[in-house]
Amino acid sequence: MTGAGGPRIAAANAAAERSGLAVSELLADARAKADTLQVRAVDAAADDAALRRLALWATRYTPTASPWLRDFAGEKNGADGFFLDIEGSAHLFGGEDRLIADLLDRLDRFGLAARLAVAATPGTAWAVSRFHRSPLFVLPSGEEAAALAGMPIEALRLKPETRTALRRLGFKTIGALIDQPRAPFAARFAAELLSRLDQALGRVDEPLVPIVAPPVYHSLHYLLEPIVTAAAIVAHAGRLMQNLVHVLTRDDVGARALRLCLYRLDGAVETVEIGLSLPTRSVAHVARLIDLKLDAVAARQGSNLDLGFGFEAIGLAVTRAEPMPARQIELTPSHPSAASGAPRDARVAATPGWGQDDNTERCAALIDALRQRLGPHRVRRFEAVARHLPERAEALPPTEGETSAWPRPEQARPLFLLPQAEPTEVTALVPDGPPRRFCWRGATYDVAGAQGPERIAGEWWRLPPPSAHSRESGNPTLGPRLRGDERQDALTRDYYLVEDLGGRRFWLYREGLYGRETAAARWFVQGLFA
Amino acid sequence: MTEFAAFSVAPSRAAVVEELRRLLVPATAGGRAPLPFGLPSLDSHLPEGGLPCGGLHEIVPETESANAAAFGFIVALLGRISSPPPPGPRLRAPEWGREKVIFVMPGYGLRAHGRFYGRLSGHGLNALGLDPARVILVETAHRKETLWALAEALHSGAPAAVAGMIDRLDLKTSQKLQLAAGDCGLPLFLLRPAAPSPPSPACGGGWGGGSAAATRWRIGTAEAARDRFGMHARPRWHLHLERCRNGRPGEWVVEYDHVAHRFSLAAALADPALSRGAGERTFGQAGRS
């Protein structure tokens, strides 16, 4: 890190500290103290990324992991750590002591020298982890004030200016602050000081911002042996879903979005997001979607998922749940699931009236599978848009929710629209008459019959208002100041359904009203009729 | 052995043919009735009285410029599927006929011979009588994905029919798709681009070589039917049934009414030889009886 007087030390390892180096010392001085010093430039972004990765890994202990990032804390050094909210999950590991012992052990194996503390508030935990003698400490609930009293004011997560000001005023420990009347502090300092103090003491709640949205339901398996094959992942995920199904059934909900977290042995976490178009509790369906996603990842990368040394834990979380009332199961034999690939029972489909809900579900399952394999934006539906210009009159949103009803067809519309209307050479008897012959894509077509015109006005209400100059000059043609697409939108179009001698049907339009909007109308081919 | 015995003692040729037909047509349709055209001359020409429901139907445009017409023919067929309400008790009937139709359109394959011939328009589907709200459009990036999506849609059994475009179709692929469609009892309509060159005997003799499809139609353009004001009323297509499993080829010019979802033979044909297939059939039947 650079500062006044040259580069300074941003962080140092234990060996460096033993040789008497300190953080924020000048690099030149440090080199003089230790001649074997190795120096690397600070890469704040990489640090943050590494911290995020570690916090993501730590979601194996609890879903609420919140990294204490630099920009979030507004603090230049010491902003390296994360909070875990282990309130509900400590018992799964045999208590808080066992949990943090396990955490320390694993971090140690990653080669990270960690300091851990458990306390009732994030603020106190932060202070204890940094300023307590032992690297591993569990502070019993209710002793926050006593523990903080002996600590220096740096333990309060304050801005450097506030810390300096407090030091100047003679406050060295938090204990000196706790018993002081609050009013002078509120007047003298920014709200930060009192709020940090209150947060540490538990007078004010401090919400943690979790690194990933906490799931609604969550199920996690720790594996004795790491797994390396996609088949094993799918099998385990199916078992996790089986666990979740009980809870989901109890609450009458189904999963709309799921997240599969794969905790790699070396601390990295792979996540697989799964979206569903209908709430589901089907284990087979979810397992199949996971399988498809792993396939898609494999196909995209050319190799399999980055397995490393295998996965040691698998978590499946329901990130969005929706009500899914219980339904009566129909008496007709259920069709074999899509996963088996077997032909479905023909009787179900052949019986009208039966199996319609079933069909909706099957359709949703199909859409899920397609979206999972091809990507969510590749499965679309048609939606009518209330606009007149043909190229804007419809949209192709991804299938989500119900489709709107389409208007009754009134005018002839081509089956295929060209992505961009293509200019064409047209011969017509009169300038504003129907085409007689046109040339398109290198071929000449003789028109046998033309139907039209159907006049579609430009969307003048969407254009910027004409400037005073053009209004005064009374210039009827639209000025060249408009950009190309706007200019095109502004002109009136006359559409003709044109049939050539071979029976091919085209949709042509003439841009601009002859004599009023333009002197030489241009022609375009916009679509092809069936 | 009993069947062979039946042949040998069968007195009339018609009975033998009927017996052969019974043996040849397996119950692949999965219990679903075939899709009739609603046009006696066409339906009686097809072995099952309509397009077999579980099967692959290849649609080939005559020339590149007939692509839209060929796809229009597919859309017309899809529009006819489950458009009438079912007979019998109306149990949860409002859902009927709202079965989805899957279109697998390769983003790459909309180009035929290097030219982009447009994207499917919802209003265009609507104008041809297929409710766009029923359509699920799947865009695929390459051939492998297209085939996967087609097979997936068929196996799910959810849609009423599956339609798609494919850049080329070889024998093996067509066999796989035909089997998949037959297993699921769903019709699969595949639009294949027009062959760029005339058929060569080296690649199987026909247009595009061998194929296991149940039927193959070659679609040409024809002058549209006009109403008495000279307006385009109904599109017309020149249908050429090139191959048909257990059936014979034929040729018709039909027009399609998108409101009634009805095919009809084009009236007042300029060339009477065009309904040859249908004509032969009637003559043949007349001669036998």
Side-chain angles (χ1 to χ4, degrees):
Chain A
M1 121 180 135
T2 49
R8 286 168 185 272
I9 295 178
N13 65 0
E17 273 171 12
R18 269 199 301 281
S19 10
L21 304 190
V23 168
S24 82
E25 196 174 7
L26 275 175
L27 185 62
D29 297 352
R31 280 197 206 277
K33 281 186 196 167
D35 47 358
T36 55
L37 191 67
Q38 293 184 15
V39 184
R40 301 274 181 284
V42 169
D43 186 351
D47 282 352
D48 286 351
L51 187 61
R52 280 192 71 86
R53 217 160 44 232
L54 197 64
L56 209 57
W57 167 81
T59 53
R60 71 199 301 280
Y61 292 101
T62 168
T64 320
S66 166
W68 176 250
L69 292 177
R70 247 160 255 269
D71 47 346
F72 179 59
E75 155 159 10
K76 285 289 165 262
N77 49 34
D80 44 2
F82 51 83
F83 296 111
L84 295 179
D85 182 2
I86 58 168
E87 188 167 8
S89 62
H91 69 278
L92 297 173
F93 297 85
E96 291 164 354
D97 303 301
R98 301 274 288 276
L99 189 149
I100 63 164
D102 183 61
L103 180 56
L104 187 68
D105 181 41
R106 282 174 192 277
L107 289 174
D108 195 38
R109 275 192 266 157
F110 291 154
L112 298 170
R115 295 181 63 91
L116 306 175
V118 178
T121 64
T124 310
W126 193 89
V128 172
S129 68
R130 276 164 181 75
F131 293 93
H132 198 271
R133 289 181 310 281
S134 146
L136 188 69
F137 187 71
V138 179
L139 186 72
S141 186
E143 292 182 18
E144 290 85 24
L148 288 174
M151 291 195 180
I153 48 166
E154 277 78 13
L156 271 185
R157 297 183 287 168
L158 298 171
K159 285 193 185 117
E161 310 88 76
T162 320
R163 281 200 309 249
T164 322
L166 281 171
R167 287 256 171 211
R168 283 203 188 122
L169 291 173
F171 295 104
K172 294 211 165 43
T173 61
I174 299 174
L177 287 171
I178 290 177
D179 300 327
Q180 297 295 326
R182 295 169 66 89
F185 284 104
R188 173 71 178 76
F189 293 99
E192 186 208 3
L193 172 61
L194 287 178
S195 78
R196 284 297 187 203
L197 195 59
D198 288 345
Q199 281 174 355
L201 293 173
R203 294 178 194 149
V204 175
D205 267 348
E206 182 182 356
L208 293 177
V209 182
I211 185 166
V212 286
V216 193
Y217 302 96
H218 189 234
S219 172
L220 193 81
H221 269 184
Y222 299 98
L223 309 168
L224 290 176
E225 282 285 316
I227 55 170
V228 288
T229 61
I233 294 171
V234 174
H236 274 286
R239 234 172 289 163
L240 291 172
M241 187 63 199
Q242 191 70 58
N243 295 349
L244 288 174
V245 163
H246 298 299
V247 196
L248 294 174
T249 318
R250 183 197 65 200
D251 293 354
D252 266 354
V253 292
R256 273 297 302 274
L258 291 151
R259 187 173 52 228
L260 180 74
C261 291
L262 302 164
Y263 298 90
R264 231 159 62 184
L265 214 54
D266 55 359
V269 180
E270 303 272 346
T271 55
V272 174
E273 301 279 346
I274 302 148
L276 295 132
S277 42
L278 274 186
T280 186
R281 290 197 286 257
S282 157
V283 177
H285 184 42
V286 169
R288 178 168 154 68
L289 291 183
I290 290 169
D291 195 16
L292 284 176
K293 187 71 178 189
L294 295 179
D295 264 8
V297 170
R300 210 163 301 139
Q301 295 179 344
S303 66
N304 216 324
L305 203 65
D306 190 8
L307 293 167
F309 297 104
F311 298 107
E312 54 167 356
I314 285 192
L316 186 67
V318 177
T319 46
R320 194 146 61 94
E322 270 183 18
M324 180 180 168
R327 276 195 304 116
Q328 177 148 9
I329 299 168
E330 282 163 7
L331 290 172
T332 44
S334 66
H335 69 98
S337 67
S340 69
R344 70 207 171 106
D345 195 324
R347 265 175 299 171
V348 180
T351 322
W354 288 110
Q356 291 297 338
D357 282 347
D358 204 33
N359 193 279
T360 323
E361 247 166 54
R362 262 183 287 164
C363 218
L366 169 66
I367 292 172
D368 288 344
L370 292 170
R371 288 167 56 127
Q372 202 66 26
R373 176 77 160 74
L374 306 174
H377 55 281
R378 304 272 287 282
V379 184
R380 302 155 178 259
R381 61 187 167 84
F382 290 100
E383 194 172 83
V385 176
R387 288 179 74 167
H388 293 291
L389 288 182
E391 65 266 30
R392 312 245 163 106
E394 60 189 282
L396 282 170
T399 38
E400 191 82 65
E402 255 322 289
T403 49
S404 51
W406 275 69
R408 187 172 281 278
E410 283 168 0
Q411 302 282 352
R413 285 287 176 269
L415 187 57
F416 284 97
L417 274 181
L418 297 176
Q420 198 103 50
E422 293 178 14
T424 171
E425 296 280 321
V426 163
T427 315
L429 280 185
V430 282
D432 52 355
R436 271 308 177 80
R437 174 183 293 173
F438 65 100
C439 184
W440 179 58
R441 286 185 175 179
T444 308
Y445 300 93
D446 283 313
V447 174
Q451 176 181 320
E454 179 191 346
R455 183 160 291 179
I456 298 180
E459 295 184 327
W460 49 264
W461 56 94
R462 288 180 193 268
L463 292 176
S467 66
H469 169 73
S470 71
R471 226 179 296 148
E472 277 165 20
S473 63
N475 187 5
T477 56
L478 289 152
R481 282 169 298 103
L482 293 176
R483 284 199 312 275
D485 52 337
E486 281 176 352
R487 186 183 154 73
Q488 225 179 43
D489 291 356
L491 295 174
T492 308
R493 300 176 185 179
D494 279 346
Y495 279 90
Y496 289 91
L497 195 175
V498 167
E499 189 175 68
D500 82 334
L501 291 175
R504 288 167 286 236
R505 290 174 279 276
F506 301 87
W507 212 32
L508 267 65
Y509 72 83
R510 185 180 50 230
E511 189 185 78
L513 292 176
Y514 176 70
R516 266 195 287 163
E517 286 179 351
T518 176
R522 296 196 299 161
W523 285 84
F524 293 88
V525 178
Q526 201 179 15
L528 306 171
F529 281 89
Chain B
M1 276 317 286
T2 52
E3 280 126 359
F4 288 118
F7 292 153
S8 55
V9 298
S12 75
R13 186 167 165 270
V16 174
V17 170
E18 204 51 47
E19 183 66 17
L20 273 173
R21 213 164 257 160
R22 190 184 67 77
L23 287 173
L24 275 172
V25 179
T28 49
R32 281 207 178 188
L35 307 167
F37 278 86
L39 204 59
S41 65
L42 234 159
D43 286 335
S44 64
H45 194 83
L46 294 166
E48 293 182 32
L51 285 177
C53 205
L56 165 65
H57 304 285
E58 250 183 281
I59 319 283
V60 191
E62 218 155 45
T63 56
E64 195 193 323
S65 56
N67 261 327
F71 206 85
F73 176 61
I74 296 182
V75 171
L77 289 174
L78 293 174
R80 283 178 55 81
I81 293 178
S82 72
S83 49
R90 293 176 67 85
L91 286 169
R92 272 180 276 170
E95 276 288 305
W96 187 264
R98 307 295 310 161
E99 274 182 311
K100 299 283 184 190
V101 174
I102 309 273
F103 279 8
V104 180
M105 307 289 275
Y108 68 92
L110 291 174
R111 297 167 181 282
H113 311 311
R115 278 177 180 167
F116 205 75
Y117 62 88
R119 64 178 177 80
L120 208 53
S121 148
H123 287 285
L125 294 175
N126 208 10
L128 267 178
L130 178 65
D131 185 357
R134 281 179 63 196
V135 174
I136 296 172
L137 191 68
V138 181
E139 282 175 16
T140 52
H142 47 81
R143 188 178 152 76
K144 211 172 147 191
E145 273 188 3
T146 309
L147 293 175
W148 178 84
L150 287 173
E152 181 70 28
L154 286 172
H155 279 308
S156 76
V162 183
M165 282 188 183
I166 198 157
D167 48 356
R168 65 196 152 80
L169 192 67
D170 51 23
L171 180 63
K172 198 163 216 172
T173 316
S174 69
Q175 275 171 339
K176 278 184 191 162
L177 290 173
Q178 163 70 24
L179 275 178
D183 280 350
C184 314
L186 289 181
L188 168 62
F189 300 101
L190 265 190
L191 179 69
R192 233 185 51 187
S197 56
S200 68
C203 63
W207 286 74
S211 154
T215 60
R216 183 198 290 158
W217 299 83
R218 196 141 53 83
I219 311 297
T221 52
E223 208 173 314
R226 292 165 181 275
D227 60 12
R228 55 204 168 110
F229 304 108
M231 307 284 268
H232 289 255
R234 293 174 298 277
R236 271 186 195 161
W237 300 302
H238 186 147
L239 310 185
H240 185 117
L241 179 58
E242 276 196 336
R243 49 172 296 155
C244 173
R245 186 177 283 191
N246 310 327
R248 286 164 303 150
E251 212 172 335
W252 303 268
V253 174
V254 297
E255 56 188 47
Y256 182 68
D257 185 349
H258 69 267
V259 180
H261 298 282
R262 199 178 59 198
F263 281 105
S264 49
L265 279 183
L269 286 176
D271 181 5
L274 279 176
S275 286
R276 212 163 28 218
E280 275 171 15
R281 170 81 183 205
T282 38
F283 285 137
Q285 278 173 344
R288 272 203 297 275
S289 56

